Amino acid sequence: MDLKNIIAAIALSAAVIVLYGLFFSPTQQLSEINKKDNNDNNELITKPDTPSIDEKPEVKNIKREDVINESERINFENEFVRGSISLVGGVIDDLELKTYNKTLGSKDKIQLLNPAKTTNGYTFNTGWATKSEIQMPNSNTIWNLDSTKNLTPGSPVKIYFENKQGVRFERIFSLDDKYLFKVKQIIINKSGEIFKAYPFARINRNNLPSDLTDFYILHEGYTFITGENVEEVDYDDVEDEKYSKEGSTGVLIQGDKYWMTSIIPEQGRSFRFDLDYKNKYRASYIDLKGYDVRPNTVTEHTVQSLIGAKEINQINNYKKDLNIDKLDLIVNYGVLYFIIVPMHKILSYFFNFTGNYGYAIILLTILVRLVFFPLNQYSMKSMGKMKSLGPEIEILKTRFKDDKQQLQKEMMKLYRVNGVNPASSCFPILIQIPIFFSLYKLLLLDLAMRHTPFVWVWQDLSAKDPLTIFNLFGLLPYNVPTFLEIGLLPVLMGSSMWLQMKLSPQPSGSDEMQKMQKKIFMLMPLFLTVILAPFAAGLILYWVCTNILTIIQQYIINRNIKIKS
Protein backbone atom coordinates (compact mmCIF):
# COMPACT_ATOMS: atom_id res chain seq x y z
CA MET A 1 0.00 0.00 0.00
CA ASP A 2 1.47 3.40 -1.00
CA LEU A 3 1.78 5.32 2.29
CA LYS A 4 1.97 8.67 0.55
CA ASN A 5 -1.48 8.17 -0.93
CA ILE A 6 -2.89 7.10 2.44
CA ILE A 7 -1.36 10.15 4.11
CA ALA A 8 -2.81 12.43 1.45
CA ALA A 9 -6.26 10.89 1.89
CA ILE A 10 -6.16 11.28 5.68
CA ALA A 11 -4.89 14.84 5.44
CA LEU A 12 -7.65 15.75 2.98
CA SER A 13 -10.31 14.20 5.25
CA ALA A 14 -8.97 16.11 8.24
CA ALA A 15 -9.02 19.34 6.26
CA VAL A 16 -12.67 18.81 5.29
CA ILE A 17 -13.65 18.20 8.92
CA VAL A 18 -11.80 21.29 10.16
CA LEU A 19 -13.20 23.55 7.44
CA TYR A 20 -16.72 22.30 8.11
CA GLY A 21 -16.30 23.05 11.80
CA LEU A 22 -15.02 26.53 11.06
CA PHE A 23 -17.44 27.66 8.38
CA PHE A 24 -20.55 25.49 8.31
CA SER A 25 -21.37 24.16 11.77
CA PRO A 26 -23.92 26.25 13.71
CA THR A 27 -22.50 28.69 16.20
CA GLN A 28 -23.03 28.31 19.91
CA GLN A 29 -24.98 31.56 20.00
CA LEU A 30 -27.37 30.40 17.30
CA SER A 31 -27.89 27.07 19.07
CA GLU A 32 -28.76 28.84 22.31
CA ILE A 33 -31.30 31.06 20.51
CA ASN A 34 -32.92 28.02 18.88
CA LYS A 35 -33.05 26.17 22.17
CA LYS A 36 -34.69 29.16 23.87
CA ASP A 37 -37.32 29.41 21.13
CA ASN A 38 -37.98 25.69 21.50
CA ASN A 39 -38.35 25.87 25.28
CA ASP A 40 -40.96 28.63 24.95
CA ASN A 41 -43.30 26.09 23.36
CA ASN A 42 -44.61 23.44 25.72
CA GLU A 43 -46.71 21.34 23.36
CA LEU A 44 -45.68 18.42 21.22
CA ILE A 45 -46.33 18.80 17.52
CA THR A 46 -50.03 18.34 16.93
CA LYS A 47 -52.51 18.82 14.14
CA PRO A 48 -56.04 20.11 14.46
CA ASP A 49 -57.55 16.67 13.73
CA THR A 50 -55.61 14.84 16.47
CA PRO A 51 -55.68 15.51 20.21
CA SER A 52 -52.64 16.55 22.22
CA ILE A 53 -50.83 13.82 24.14
CA ASP A 54 -48.61 16.24 26.02
CA GLU A 55 -48.13 15.72 29.75
CA LYS A 56 -45.88 17.50 32.21
CA PRO A 57 -44.93 15.00 34.91
CA GLU A 58 -42.77 16.38 37.68
CA VAL A 59 -39.09 15.52 37.30
CA LYS A 60 -37.18 14.92 40.53
CA ASN A 61 -33.75 13.55 41.36
CA ILE A 62 -34.88 10.66 43.53
CA LYS A 63 -32.79 7.53 43.90
CA ARG A 64 -33.71 4.80 41.44
CA GLU A 65 -34.37 2.18 44.13
CA ASP A 66 -36.63 4.54 46.10
CA VAL A 67 -38.81 5.31 43.08
CA ILE A 68 -39.11 1.64 42.15
CA ASN A 69 -40.09 0.69 45.70
CA GLU A 70 -42.74 3.39 46.11
CA SER A 71 -45.23 1.82 43.63
CA GLU A 72 -46.70 -1.61 43.01
CA ARG A 73 -45.08 -3.28 40.02
CA ILE A 74 -45.23 -6.10 37.50
CA ASN A 75 -41.91 -7.93 37.25
CA PHE A 76 -40.68 -9.20 33.89
CA GLU A 77 -37.72 -11.36 32.99
CA ASN A 78 -36.32 -13.58 30.28
CA GLU A 79 -32.82 -14.81 29.57
CA PHE A 80 -31.60 -11.36 28.44
CA VAL A 81 -33.59 -8.66 30.26
CA ARG A 82 -35.27 -8.09 33.59
CA GLY A 83 -37.14 -5.20 35.10
CA SER A 84 -40.59 -4.03 36.05
CA ILE A 85 -43.66 -2.11 34.92
CA SER A 86 -45.13 0.46 37.28
CA LEU A 87 -48.87 0.22 37.95
CA VAL A 88 -48.76 4.02 38.33
CA GLY A 89 -49.24 5.03 34.70
CA GLY A 90 -48.67 1.49 33.40
CA VAL A 91 -45.21 2.59 32.24
CA ILE A 92 -42.19 0.44 31.42
CA ASP A 93 -39.52 2.34 33.36
CA ASP A 94 -37.17 -0.27 34.75
CA LEU A 95 -35.10 -2.47 32.43
CA GLU A 96 -31.73 -4.08 32.97
CA LEU A 97 -29.69 -5.94 30.34
CA LYS A 98 -28.63 -9.17 32.04
CA THR A 99 -25.84 -10.10 29.62
CA TYR A 100 -24.01 -6.75 29.40
CA ASN A 101 -21.80 -5.23 32.09
CA LYS A 102 -21.35 -1.48 32.47
CA THR A 103 -17.57 -1.71 32.27
CA LEU A 104 -15.02 -4.42 31.56
CA GLY A 105 -14.68 -6.64 34.62
CA SER A 106 -17.63 -5.05 36.42
CA LYS A 107 -20.55 -7.08 37.74
CA ASP A 108 -22.95 -4.12 37.43
CA LYS A 109 -25.31 -4.54 34.50
CA ILE A 110 -26.48 -1.95 31.99
CA GLN A 111 -29.63 -0.24 33.30
CA LEU A 112 -31.29 1.02 30.14
CA LEU A 113 -34.67 2.27 31.40
CA ASN A 114 -35.14 4.27 34.62
CA PRO A 115 -38.16 5.87 36.33
CA ALA A 116 -39.06 9.41 35.23
CA LYS A 117 -38.38 10.88 38.68
CA THR A 118 -34.70 9.90 38.57
CA THR A 119 -31.90 11.94 37.01
CA ASN A 120 -31.51 9.43 34.19
CA GLY A 121 -35.22 8.89 33.68
CA TYR A 122 -35.91 6.92 30.49
CA THR A 123 -39.39 5.43 29.96
CA PHE A 124 -41.71 3.83 27.42
CA ASN A 125 -45.49 4.13 27.67
CA THR A 126 -48.64 3.81 25.58
CA GLY A 127 -52.14 5.23 25.84
CA TRP A 128 -55.24 6.69 24.22
CA ALA A 129 -55.97 10.34 23.42
CA THR A 130 -59.36 11.93 22.73
CA LYS A 131 -60.98 15.30 22.19
CA SER A 132 -64.13 14.16 23.97
CA GLU A 133 -64.97 14.49 27.65
CA ILE A 134 -64.27 10.83 28.28
CA GLN A 135 -61.70 10.34 31.04
CA MET A 136 -58.60 8.68 29.64
CA PRO A 137 -55.84 7.04 31.72
CA ASN A 138 -52.70 9.15 32.07
CA SER A 139 -49.25 8.95 33.67
CA ASN A 140 -50.75 9.24 37.16
CA THR A 141 -53.49 6.65 36.72
CA ILE A 142 -53.40 3.73 39.16
CA TRP A 143 -53.92 0.53 37.18
CA ASN A 144 -55.26 -2.70 38.62
CA LEU A 145 -53.76 -6.12 38.09
CA ASP A 146 -55.95 -8.73 36.38
CA SER A 147 -53.43 -11.57 36.16
CA THR A 148 -50.18 -12.83 37.65
CA LYS A 149 -47.57 -10.21 38.61
CA ASN A 150 -44.79 -11.89 36.61
CA LEU A 151 -44.37 -11.28 32.89
CA THR A 152 -42.33 -13.94 31.09
CA PRO A 153 -42.15 -15.23 27.50
CA GLY A 154 -45.39 -17.05 26.78
CA SER A 155 -47.04 -15.68 29.93
CA PRO A 156 -48.58 -12.21 29.27
CA VAL A 157 -49.87 -9.87 31.99
CA LYS A 158 -53.11 -7.87 31.96
CA ILE A 159 -53.87 -4.61 33.81
CA TYR A 160 -57.04 -2.53 33.70
CA PHE A 161 -58.52 0.83 34.64
CA GLU A 162 -62.23 1.69 34.64
CA ASN A 163 -63.33 5.32 34.73
CA LYS A 164 -66.48 6.70 36.38
CA GLN A 165 -68.23 6.88 32.98
CA GLY A 166 -68.21 3.12 32.57
CA VAL A 167 -65.35 2.83 30.07
CA ARG A 168 -62.85 0.09 30.84
CA PHE A 169 -59.27 0.28 29.55
CA GLU A 170 -57.05 -2.78 29.44
CA ARG A 171 -53.42 -3.35 28.56
CA ILE A 172 -51.96 -6.76 27.87
CA PHE A 173 -48.15 -6.86 28.02
CA SER A 174 -46.22 -9.59 26.22
CA LEU A 175 -42.47 -10.23 26.07
CA ASP A 176 -40.61 -12.55 23.70
CA ASP A 177 -37.39 -14.39 24.53
CA LYS A 178 -35.21 -11.38 23.60
CA TYR A 179 -36.10 -7.67 23.42
CA LEU A 180 -39.55 -7.34 21.85
CA PHE A 181 -42.36 -5.94 24.01
CA LYS A 182 -45.94 -5.98 22.76
CA VAL A 183 -48.65 -3.83 24.35
CA LYS A 184 -52.21 -4.64 23.31
CA GLN A 185 -54.57 -1.81 24.28
CA ILE A 186 -58.27 -2.49 24.65
CA ILE A 187 -61.24 -0.17 25.21
CA ILE A 188 -64.47 -1.78 26.45
CA ASN A 189 -67.18 0.86 26.20
CA LYS A 190 -69.94 0.11 28.73
CA SER A 191 -71.18 3.71 28.65
CA GLY A 192 -73.76 5.20 26.32
CA GLU A 193 -71.21 7.61 24.86
CA ILE A 194 -69.75 7.65 21.36
CA PHE A 195 -66.22 9.03 21.18
CA LYS A 196 -63.11 8.86 19.07
CA ALA A 197 -59.88 7.48 20.53
CA TYR A 198 -56.39 7.81 19.10
CA PRO A 199 -53.78 5.29 20.26
CA PHE A 200 -50.30 6.66 20.95
CA ALA A 201 -46.93 5.69 22.41
CA ARG A 202 -44.08 7.79 23.71
CA ILE A 203 -40.49 7.54 24.84
CA ASN A 204 -39.27 10.14 27.33
CA ARG A 205 -35.66 10.62 28.35
CA ASN A 206 -34.54 13.17 30.95
CA ASN A 207 -30.88 13.47 29.93
CA LEU A 208 -28.37 12.38 27.34
CA PRO A 209 -26.69 9.00 27.93
CA SER A 210 -23.52 9.16 30.02
CA ASP A 211 -21.58 7.18 27.38
CA LEU A 212 -22.63 9.39 24.43
CA THR A 213 -19.86 9.03 21.84
CA ASP A 214 -20.54 12.32 20.03
CA PHE A 215 -18.39 11.22 17.08
CA TYR A 216 -19.14 12.61 13.64
CA ILE A 217 -19.28 9.25 11.84
CA LEU A 218 -21.55 7.67 14.46
CA HIS A 219 -25.21 8.63 14.68
CA GLU A 220 -26.74 8.62 18.15
CA GLY A 221 -30.26 9.88 18.54
CA TYR A 222 -33.43 9.22 16.56
CA THR A 223 -34.05 7.44 13.28
CA PHE A 224 -37.30 7.66 11.32
CA ILE A 225 -37.90 4.68 9.05
CA THR A 226 -41.06 5.30 7.04
CA GLY A 227 -41.53 3.20 3.94
CA GLU A 228 -38.43 3.60 1.81
CA ASN A 229 -37.32 6.77 3.60
CA VAL A 230 -34.75 6.89 6.39
CA GLU A 231 -34.04 10.10 8.29
CA GLU A 232 -31.59 10.51 11.17
CA VAL A 233 -31.98 13.21 13.82
CA ASP A 234 -29.28 13.79 16.44
CA TYR A 235 -30.04 14.73 20.02
CA ASP A 236 -28.71 18.26 19.56
CA ASP A 237 -30.95 18.70 16.51
CA VAL A 238 -34.00 17.97 18.66
CA GLU A 239 -32.85 20.59 21.16
CA ASP A 240 -32.91 23.17 18.36
CA GLU A 241 -36.19 22.34 16.61
CA LYS A 242 -39.14 19.97 16.49
CA TYR A 243 -39.49 17.16 13.99
CA SER A 244 -42.53 15.40 12.59
CA LYS A 245 -42.84 12.56 10.10
CA GLU A 246 -45.97 10.86 8.75
CA GLY A 247 -46.31 7.41 7.24
CA SER A 248 -48.23 4.15 7.25
CA THR A 249 -45.31 1.73 7.61
CA GLY A 250 -42.11 2.03 9.56
CA VAL A 251 -40.61 2.51 12.99
CA LEU A 252 -39.20 5.25 15.21
CA ILE A 253 -35.90 4.31 16.84
CA GLN A 254 -34.11 6.01 19.70
CA GLY A 255 -30.61 4.62 19.61
CA ASP A 256 -27.35 5.03 21.47
CA LYS A 257 -24.11 3.43 20.32
CA TYR A 258 -25.05 -0.04 21.54
CA TRP A 259 -28.59 0.24 22.99
CA MET A 260 -32.04 1.05 21.62
CA THR A 261 -35.66 1.75 22.33
CA SER A 262 -38.28 2.03 19.62
CA ILE A 263 -41.92 2.54 18.74
CA ILE A 264 -43.37 0.11 16.21
CA PRO A 265 -46.96 1.08 15.26
CA GLU A 266 -49.50 -1.18 13.62
CA GLN A 267 -48.33 -1.28 10.01
CA GLY A 268 -50.72 -0.11 7.31
CA ARG A 269 -52.44 2.57 9.42
CA SER A 270 -51.66 6.27 9.01
CA PHE A 271 -49.57 7.62 11.86
CA ARG A 272 -47.25 10.46 12.81
CA PHE A 273 -43.94 10.42 14.66
CA ASP A 274 -43.00 13.56 16.65
CA LEU A 275 -39.78 14.65 18.33
CA ASP A 276 -39.15 17.62 20.58
CA TYR A 277 -37.31 18.79 23.68
CA LYS A 278 -38.86 20.41 26.73
CA ASN A 279 -36.70 19.76 29.79
CA LYS A 280 -36.39 16.22 28.46
CA TYR A 281 -36.13 14.46 25.11
CA ARG A 282 -39.57 13.38 23.92
CA ALA A 283 -40.40 11.00 21.09
CA SER A 284 -43.98 10.02 20.35
CA TYR A 285 -46.28 8.29 17.90
CA ILE A 286 -49.99 8.88 17.36
CA ASP A 287 -52.43 7.06 15.10
CA LEU A 288 -53.94 9.65 12.74
CA LYS A 289 -57.05 7.73 11.79
CA GLY A 290 -58.22 6.91 15.30
CA TYR A 291 -61.09 4.60 16.27
CA ASP A 292 -64.81 5.36 16.59
CA VAL A 293 -65.70 3.86 19.95
CA ARG A 294 -69.41 3.10 20.18
CA PRO A 295 -71.45 1.85 23.15
CA ASN A 296 -71.12 -1.84 24.00
CA THR A 297 -68.15 -2.35 21.68
CA VAL A 298 -64.58 -3.51 22.12
CA THR A 299 -61.75 -1.61 20.42
CA GLU A 300 -58.21 -3.02 20.19
CA HIS A 301 -54.87 -1.66 19.06
CA THR A 302 -51.33 -3.01 19.44
CA VAL A 303 -48.02 -1.18 19.73
CA GLN A 304 -44.67 -2.97 19.85
CA SER A 305 -41.24 -1.86 21.02
CA LEU A 306 -37.73 -3.24 20.76
CA ILE A 307 -35.95 -2.30 23.97
CA GLY A 308 -32.47 -3.70 24.45
CA ALA A 309 -29.14 -4.24 22.77
CA LYS A 310 -28.31 -3.57 19.12
CA GLU A 311 -27.31 -7.13 18.32
CA ILE A 312 -26.93 -7.21 14.57
CA ASN A 313 -27.95 -10.83 14.02
CA GLN A 314 -30.98 -10.53 16.29
CA ILE A 315 -32.14 -7.31 14.60
CA ASN A 316 -31.91 -9.08 11.24
CA ASN A 317 -34.20 -11.77 12.65
CA TYR A 318 -36.69 -9.12 13.85
CA LYS A 319 -36.57 -7.54 10.39
CA LYS A 320 -37.88 -10.80 8.94
CA ASP A 321 -40.31 -11.61 11.75
CA LEU A 322 -41.90 -8.14 11.86
CA ASN A 323 -41.69 -7.72 8.07
CA ILE A 324 -40.35 -4.17 8.37
CA ASP A 325 -37.98 -3.20 5.57
CA LYS A 326 -34.79 -1.39 6.63
CA LEU A 327 -35.29 -2.30 10.30
CA ASP A 328 -31.64 -3.38 10.30
CA LEU A 329 -30.74 0.32 10.01
CA ILE A 330 -31.29 0.45 13.77
CA VAL A 331 -27.55 -0.18 13.53
CA ASN A 332 -26.22 2.93 11.82
CA TYR A 333 -24.19 1.57 8.90
CA GLY A 334 -24.38 4.76 6.86
CA VAL A 335 -23.51 4.98 3.17
CA LEU A 336 -21.12 2.01 3.43
CA TYR A 337 -24.02 -0.33 4.19
CA PHE A 338 -23.37 -2.48 1.13
CA ILE A 339 -19.80 -3.17 2.30
CA ILE A 340 -20.33 -3.45 6.06
CA VAL A 341 -23.16 -6.01 5.90
CA PRO A 342 -21.22 -8.70 3.95
CA MET A 343 -18.08 -7.88 5.95
CA HIS A 344 -20.00 -8.53 9.17
CA LYS A 345 -21.19 -11.89 7.84
CA ILE A 346 -17.63 -12.87 6.94
CA LEU A 347 -16.26 -11.70 10.30
CA SER A 348 -19.00 -13.65 12.12
CA TYR A 349 -18.13 -16.76 10.11
CA PHE A 350 -14.45 -16.46 11.03
CA PHE A 351 -15.39 -15.91 14.68
CA ASN A 352 -17.54 -19.05 14.69
CA PHE A 353 -14.58 -20.88 13.16
CA THR A 354 -11.89 -19.59 15.56
CA GLY A 355 -13.87 -18.62 18.68
CA ASN A 356 -11.80 -15.41 18.96
CA TYR A 357 -12.54 -12.06 17.30
CA GLY A 358 -8.85 -11.15 17.20
CA TYR A 359 -8.07 -14.23 15.12
CA ALA A 360 -11.20 -13.51 13.05
CA ILE A 361 -9.87 -10.02 12.25
CA ILE A 362 -6.52 -11.51 11.22
CA LEU A 363 -8.26 -13.99 8.89
CA LEU A 364 -10.40 -11.18 7.48
CA THR A 365 -7.22 -9.18 6.81
CA ILE A 366 -5.70 -12.10 4.93
CA LEU A 367 -8.92 -12.51 2.92
CA VAL A 368 -8.96 -8.82 1.97
CA ARG A 369 -5.32 -9.04 0.87
CA LEU A 370 -6.09 -12.11 -1.24
CA VAL A 371 -9.07 -10.40 -2.90
CA PHE A 372 -6.95 -7.37 -3.79
CA PHE A 373 -3.79 -9.35 -4.51
CA PRO A 374 -3.77 -8.77 -8.31
CA LEU A 375 -4.25 -5.00 -7.89
CA ASN A 376 -1.67 -4.77 -5.12
CA GLN A 377 0.78 -6.91 -7.05
CA TYR A 378 0.62 -4.62 -10.08
CA SER A 379 0.84 -1.52 -7.89
CA MET A 380 3.78 -2.81 -5.84
CA LYS A 381 5.73 -3.90 -8.92
CA SER A 382 5.36 -0.37 -10.22
CA MET A 383 6.40 1.12 -6.86
CA GLY A 384 9.35 -1.27 -6.58
CA LYS A 385 10.56 -0.31 -10.03
CA MET A 386 10.18 3.38 -9.22
CA LYS A 387 12.30 2.88 -6.09
CA SER A 388 14.97 1.06 -8.11
CA LEU A 389 14.88 3.78 -10.75
CA GLY A 390 15.86 6.37 -8.14
CA PRO A 391 19.58 6.50 -9.12
CA GLU A 392 18.70 6.66 -12.83
CA ILE A 393 16.29 9.53 -12.19
CA GLU A 394 18.96 11.40 -10.21
CA ILE A 395 21.33 11.10 -13.17
CA LEU A 396 18.62 12.51 -15.49
CA LYS A 397 17.98 15.40 -13.09
CA THR A 398 21.66 16.25 -13.12
CA ARG A 399 21.91 16.04 -16.92
CA PHE A 400 18.78 18.10 -17.60
CA LYS A 401 18.69 20.36 -14.55
CA ASP A 402 18.27 23.41 -16.82
CA ASP A 403 15.72 21.84 -19.16
CA LYS A 404 12.62 20.76 -17.21
CA GLN A 405 10.67 19.85 -20.33
CA GLN A 406 13.36 17.51 -21.62
CA LEU A 407 13.74 16.05 -18.12
CA GLN A 408 10.05 15.08 -18.10
CA LYS A 409 10.37 13.49 -21.53
CA GLU A 410 13.40 11.44 -20.48
CA MET A 411 11.75 10.36 -17.24
CA MET A 412 8.61 9.22 -19.06
CA LYS A 413 10.79 7.36 -21.55
CA LEU A 414 12.60 5.62 -18.67
CA TYR A 415 9.25 4.73 -17.08
CA ARG A 416 7.94 3.40 -20.39
CA VAL A 417 10.99 1.23 -21.05
CA ASN A 418 10.66 -0.34 -17.59
CA GLY A 419 6.85 -0.66 -17.72
CA VAL A 420 6.27 1.75 -14.85
CA ASN A 421 3.06 3.75 -14.42
CA PRO A 422 3.59 6.39 -11.67
CA ALA A 423 -0.16 6.63 -11.10
CA SER A 424 -0.72 2.86 -10.87
CA SER A 425 -0.64 2.83 -7.06
CA CYS A 426 -3.57 5.24 -6.71
CA PHE A 427 -6.38 2.95 -7.82
CA PRO A 428 -5.71 0.08 -5.34
CA ILE A 429 -5.55 2.65 -2.53
CA LEU A 430 -8.85 4.23 -3.56
CA ILE A 431 -10.51 0.81 -3.65
CA GLN A 432 -9.22 -0.23 -0.22
CA ILE A 433 -9.93 2.98 1.71
CA PRO A 434 -13.72 2.21 1.84
CA ILE A 435 -12.83 -1.29 3.11
CA PHE A 436 -10.72 0.24 5.89
CA PHE A 437 -13.42 2.69 6.97
CA SER A 438 -16.09 -0.02 6.69
CA LEU A 439 -14.15 -2.24 9.04
CA TYR A 440 -13.66 0.69 11.41
CA LYS A 441 -17.38 1.37 11.48
CA LEU A 442 -18.14 -2.33 11.90
CA LEU A 443 -15.79 -2.55 14.89
CA LEU A 444 -17.29 0.66 16.24
CA LEU A 445 -20.91 -0.53 15.92
CA ASP A 446 -20.82 -4.30 16.33
CA LEU A 447 -21.89 -5.01 19.90
CA ALA A 448 -20.30 -8.44 19.65
CA MET A 449 -16.91 -6.68 19.74
CA ARG A 450 -17.66 -4.92 23.04
CA HIS A 451 -15.60 -6.40 25.91
CA THR A 452 -14.40 -9.14 23.54
CA PRO A 453 -10.88 -10.42 24.36
CA PHE A 454 -8.05 -11.22 21.97
CA VAL A 455 -4.87 -12.35 23.80
CA TRP A 456 -2.80 -11.15 26.76
CA VAL A 457 -3.83 -7.62 27.82
CA TRP A 458 -6.16 -6.99 24.89
CA GLN A 459 -9.42 -7.89 26.61
CA ASP A 460 -11.65 -5.42 24.72
CA LEU A 461 -11.14 -5.10 20.98
CA SER A 462 -13.66 -2.24 20.79
CA ALA A 463 -11.53 -0.09 23.14
CA LYS A 464 -8.10 1.42 22.67
CA ASP A 465 -4.93 -0.50 23.50
CA PRO A 466 -4.65 -0.40 27.33
CA LEU A 467 -0.83 -0.33 27.37
CA THR A 468 1.46 2.66 26.89
CA ILE A 469 5.06 2.88 25.75
CA PHE A 470 5.78 5.71 28.23
CA ASN A 471 5.72 3.35 31.23
CA LEU A 472 7.27 0.48 29.28
CA PHE A 473 3.87 -1.11 28.71
CA GLY A 474 3.06 -1.34 32.42
CA LEU A 475 6.49 -2.40 33.72
CA LEU A 476 7.02 0.96 35.45
CA PRO A 477 4.60 1.71 38.33
CA TYR A 478 3.11 5.02 37.25
CA ASN A 479 0.36 6.35 35.00
CA VAL A 480 0.79 8.78 32.14
CA PRO A 481 -1.50 11.53 30.76
CA THR A 482 -4.23 10.35 28.41
CA PHE A 483 -2.65 11.90 25.32
CA LEU A 484 0.51 9.83 25.95
CA GLU A 485 -1.34 6.51 26.18
CA ILE A 486 0.19 4.95 23.08
CA GLY A 487 -0.12 1.19 23.32
CA LEU A 488 1.84 -1.70 21.92
CA LEU A 489 -0.43 -2.23 18.90
CA PRO A 490 -0.16 1.43 17.78
CA VAL A 491 3.65 1.19 18.19
CA LEU A 492 3.68 -1.95 16.04
CA MET A 493 1.48 -0.16 13.52
CA GLY A 494 3.81 2.86 13.36
CA SER A 495 6.93 0.69 13.16
CA SER A 496 5.53 -1.47 10.38
CA MET A 497 4.36 1.67 8.58
CA TRP A 498 7.89 3.11 8.79
CA LEU A 499 9.40 -0.10 7.39
CA GLN A 500 6.76 -0.18 4.67
CA MET A 501 7.64 3.38 3.73
CA LYS A 502 11.34 2.45 3.51
CA LEU A 503 10.41 -0.17 0.90
CA SER A 504 8.37 2.35 -1.10
CA PRO A 505 9.67 5.07 -3.46
CA GLN A 506 11.00 8.08 -1.54
CA PRO A 507 11.08 11.73 -2.57
CA SER A 508 14.32 12.25 -4.48
CA GLY A 509 16.43 15.27 -5.23
CA SER A 510 18.83 17.57 -3.44
CA ASP A 511 16.91 20.87 -3.32
CA GLU A 512 15.52 22.11 -0.01
CA MET A 513 11.88 21.43 -0.90
CA GLN A 514 12.53 17.76 -1.65
CA LYS A 515 14.64 17.36 1.49
CA MET A 516 11.84 18.83 3.57
CA GLN A 517 9.31 16.57 1.85
CA LYS A 518 11.44 13.54 2.64
CA LYS A 519 11.65 14.51 6.33
CA ILE A 520 7.88 15.02 6.50
CA PHE A 521 7.20 11.60 5.02
CA MET A 522 9.59 9.98 7.47
CA LEU A 523 7.79 11.63 10.38
CA MET A 524 4.34 10.58 9.16
CA PRO A 525 4.41 7.11 10.80
CA LEU A 526 5.08 8.78 14.17
CA PHE A 527 2.32 11.32 13.57
CA LEU A 528 -0.24 8.65 12.61
CA THR A 529 0.79 6.48 15.56
CA VAL A 530 -0.13 9.29 17.96
CA ILE A 531 -3.32 10.20 16.09
CA LEU A 532 -4.63 6.62 15.80
CA ALA A 533 -3.59 5.42 19.28
CA PRO A 534 -7.11 6.06 20.74
CA PHE A 535 -8.77 3.99 18.01
CA ALA A 536 -10.25 0.54 18.68
CA ALA A 537 -7.60 -2.15 19.26
CA GLY A 538 -9.37 -4.37 16.74
CA LEU A 539 -8.91 -1.77 14.01
CA ILE A 540 -5.23 -1.25 14.86
CA LEU A 541 -4.78 -5.03 14.78
CA TYR A 542 -6.23 -5.04 11.26
CA TRP A 543 -3.83 -2.26 10.19
CA VAL A 544 -0.79 -4.01 11.72
CA CYS A 545 -1.62 -7.24 9.91
CA THR A 546 -2.19 -5.35 6.66
CA ASN A 547 1.18 -3.60 7.00
CA ILE A 548 3.02 -6.86 7.72
CA LEU A 549 1.48 -8.61 4.71
CA THR A 550 2.26 -5.59 2.53
CA ILE A 551 5.88 -5.53 3.71
CA ILE A 552 6.34 -9.21 2.89
CA GLN A 553 4.78 -8.80 -0.55
CA GLN A 554 6.77 -5.63 -1.35
CA TYR A 555 10.05 -7.17 -0.16
CA ILE A 556 9.62 -10.21 -2.40
CA ILE A 557 8.73 -8.02 -5.38
CA ASN A 558 11.68 -5.65 -4.82
CA ARG A 559 14.16 -8.56 -4.78
CA ASN A 560 13.03 -9.75 -8.21
CA ILE A 561 12.95 -6.40 -10.02
CA LYS A 562 15.29 -5.88 -12.95
CA ILE A 563 15.87 -2.37 -14.27
CA LYS A 564 16.64 -1.36 -17.86
CA SER A 565 18.72 1.79 -18.32
Side-chain angles (χ1 to χ4, degrees), residues 27-37 240:
T27 64
Q28 179 68 23
Q29 182 179 7
L30 181 59
S31 297
E32 291 299 325
I33 292 172
N34 288 336
K35 184 183 287 190
K36 181 179 183 301
D37 290 342
D240 294 338

Side-chain angles (χ1 to χ4, degrees), residues 263-322:
I263 300 174
I264 306 175
E266 283 193 1
Q267 305 297 292
R269 291 183 61 89
S270 297
F271 57 76
R272 189 180 72 247
F273 293 133
D274 297 318
L275 305 177
D276 83 337
Y277 178 85
K278 172 58 181 175
N279 299 324
K280 57 181 172 287
Y281 300 88
R282 309 190 296 184
S284 65
Y285 136 83
I286 188 167
D287 185 279
L288 296 178
K289 188 176 180 181
Y291 292 89
D292 293 317
V293 183
R294 301 183 179 278
N296 301 314
T297 61
V298 177
T299 303
E300 299 180 354
H301 184 87
T302 299
V303 178
Q304 300 182 92
S305 180
L306 289 170
I307 307 176
K310 290 182 175 180
E311 298 172 2
I312 295 176
N313 290 331
Q314 184 59 42
I315 290 171
N316 288 334
N317 291 335
Y318 280 128
K319 177 183 176 181
K320 296 177 183 177
D321 295 342
L322 299 175

Side-chain angles (χ1 to χ4, degrees), residues 131-160:
K131 292 182 177 180
S132 71
E133 298 300 320
I134 296 295
Q135 180 191 1
M136 296 288 185
N138 57 39
S139 59
N140 297 316
T141 297
I142 307 297
W143 290 77
N144 300 292
L145 194 61
D146 195 20
S147 65
T148 175
K149 291 182 64 175
N150 297 311
L151 171 61
T152 57
S155 179
V157 167
K158 181 193 288 188
I159 60 176
Y160 71 93

